[in-house]
Amino acid sequence: MINERVAVLRGGPSEEYSVSMKTGRAVIDALERKNISNKDIVITKNGEWLEEGRIKTINAVLEGVDVVFLALHGGFAEDGEVQKILQNFRIPFTGSSSLSSALAFNKALTKDILSKEGILTPKYRVIHKYELQELDEITTDIAEEFGSEYIIKPTASGSSISMELIRSKFSLQEGIGRLLEQYDSIIVEEFIRGREATVAVLENFRDKELYTFPIVEIVPPRKFPFYNYEAKYSGETQIICPSNFSYTERDLLQNITEHIHKTLNLSQYSRTDFIVRDNKIYFLEVNTLPGLTNESIFPKAAKTVGLEFDNLITHLLETASN
């Protein structure tokens, strides 16, 4: 039984505000069912901290709080900023440290590190806003090296926001220019057609330092070219768990996921996305604060091994408190 005062942080000044609000609501409902004292803290899109609808200072909001459940997503949360604040207050929180979160949120830096560990990833290139005048040359180089289909996305973001599939060099240049109007840097990847897999891990569960849940296969509806933001929250995507990958593929996915979690020095839990093609496993990205809504994959994977949602939430709080 948790006797500590829990603060649930949700909302936030990122593009994933609405998803975070849903995650936070689900967490609060779980705490209420467990009769755990909590307070609902909403961070507005402007970065103001609200308690019971009133703007308060961070000091006032965190006064008397023993542990924080981070129900935030995207910038300010997965980039390590809010963790930095909580670390300064010496308040335990769910998820990874500020440094590890910032590292994992940067897709290019993560790929650089994991590539050196021998982990396969689609070919990629980072493009910065200051390179706008060189796009013709850049897209020619990418087309020659990557082939004819590409994924473009912000270097740092989550929930597949602003991710696009591009099918020609001309569209690539146009798409890069459009995305660089919104972000300082983006990443272009070769698009690898294959089966989409995601693997969730949880620390200190069932006497294991790092427990891997059954592999999940993601099958978006045909109208979506891949598992993008719209597919994630359409309610039409098939989440197959346990998946039908071969024993060899499942073993590889599990081992690679555990290696990624440890290499990036992540804490408590994470979920990593892959493409599986021709018995090869390609790393896409890692999520340090997976969604916990009704549509979210992490709680669905946990449920397949008998870990109900409410118990997942209390496990995260108990291990964050230690």
Side-chain angles (χ1 to χ4, degrees):
M1 181 68 182
I2 297 171
N3 296 315
E4 297 165 307
R5 184 76 188 278
V6 179
V8 179
L9 263 60
R10 60 181 179 141
S14 85
E15 295 166 304
E16 297 181 67
Y17 178 90
S18 60
V19 179
S20 171
M21 291 298 286
K22 290 180 181 178
T23 287
R25 183 72 263 165
V27 171
I28 291 167
D29 289 345
L31 296 177
E32 296 291 343
R33 288 190 292 268
K34 289 283 190 177
N35 295 314
I36 296 172
S37 175
N38 68 89
K39 58 179 179 176
D40 178 13
I41 306 301
V42 174
I43 301 176
T44 69
K45 293 179 180 180
N46 295 324
E48 297 166 325
W49 291 49
L50 306 181
E51 183 179 356
E52 296 180 347
R54 298 177 184 175
I55 298 174
K56 291 192 175 183
T57 65
I58 296 175
N59 293 53
V61 165
L62 296 177
E63 185 176 354
V65 170
D66 299 305
V67 60
V68 170
F69 196 106
L70 291 179
L72 298 164
H73 302 300
F76 190 66
E78 290 175 82
D79 63 0
E81 287 302 310
V82 74
Q83 291 88 342
K84 195 182 300 180
I85 293 170
L86 297 173
Q87 285 170 193
N88 287 338
F89 277 89
R90 300 184 183 278
I91 297 176
F93 53 87
T94 56
S96 296
S97 70
S98 173
L99 181 60
S100 296
S101 298
L103 170 61
F105 196 59
N106 187 309
K107 295 177 174 63
L109 188 54
T110 300
K111 285 174 177 286
D112 288 345
I113 291 169
L114 297 181
S115 293
K116 291 174 182 175
E117 293 289 316
I119 294 171
L120 290 177
T121 185
K123 296 174 185 175
Y124 62 97
R125 176 164 177 173
V126 178
I127 304 172
H128 301 275
K129 187 168 285 188
Y130 61 76
E131 296 178 283
L132 273 170
Q133 302 303 317
E134 305 165 36
L135 282 191
D136 190 51
E137 181 181 345
I138 289 171
T139 52
T140 297
D141 291 344
I142 290 173
E144 289 177 357
E145 185 180 358
F146 291 10
S148 59
E149 293 186 310
Y150 326 91
I151 292 289
I152 61 171
K153 54 189 174 183
T155 305
S157 72
S159 274
S160 303
I161 286 175
S162 298
M163 185 186 293
E164 294 182 46
L165 171 61
I166 305 292
R167 290 192 167 100
S168 73
K169 177 190 168 185
F170 174 78
S171 298
L172 177 62
Q173 186 166 337
E174 187 181 69
I176 290 171
R178 184 171 59 252
L179 214 53
L180 283 175
E181 291 177 0
Q182 304 174 57
Y183 302 95
D184 291 331
S185 68
I186 67 165
I187 188 167
V188 181
E189 289 180 344
E190 66 169 328
F191 180 59
I192 296 177
R193 292 188 178 275
R195 297 168 69 187
E196 299 189 48
T198 191
V199 190
V201 294
L202 181 65
E203 292 183 358
N204 302 312
F205 180 63
R206 293 184 178 169
D207 298 322
K208 282 196 171 186
E209 181 182 337
L210 188 60
Y211 186 95
T212 305
F213 293 122
I215 313 300
V216 175
E217 181 173 6
I218 301 166
V219 184
R222 289 184 177 273
K223 63 183 177 182
F224 298 111
F226 63 101
Y227 192 49
N228 58 13
Y229 183 84
E230 290 75 19
K232 280 187 178 183
Y233 300 104
S234 68
E236 301 174 51
T237 295
Q238 289 185 61
I239 305 299
I240 304 172
C241 186
S243 64
N244 297 314
F245 291 105
S246 69
Y247 175 82
T248 300
E249 289 167 337
R250 291 199 304 270
D251 194 48
L252 276 171
L253 284 163
Q254 176 176 330
N255 291 337
I256 293 170
T257 300
E258 291 177 0
H259 186 58
I260 288 170
H261 186 90
K262 292 173 182 176
T263 298
L264 299 178
N265 198 29
L266 303 182
S267 301
Q268 282 207 307
Y269 68 137
S270 67
R271 203 198 74 237
T272 305
D273 300 334
F274 301 93
I275 287 290
V276 180
R277 178 176 174 176
D278 299 332
N279 294 318
K280 292 182 179 178
I281 311 297
Y282 295 89
F283 164 78
L284 296 180
E285 57 187 70
V286 61
N287 191 329
T288 57
L289 289 175
L292 298 173
T293 68
N294 291 332
E295 298 86 16
S296 299
I297 293 171
F298 198 101
K300 289 181 179 179
K303 191 171 183 177
T304 62
V305 297
L307 179 58
E308 296 295 333
F309 184 81
D310 293 4
N311 293 331
L312 168 62
I313 299 306
T314 54
H315 177 84
L316 290 171
L317 285 172
E318 287 166 350
T319 52
S321 302
N322 293 335

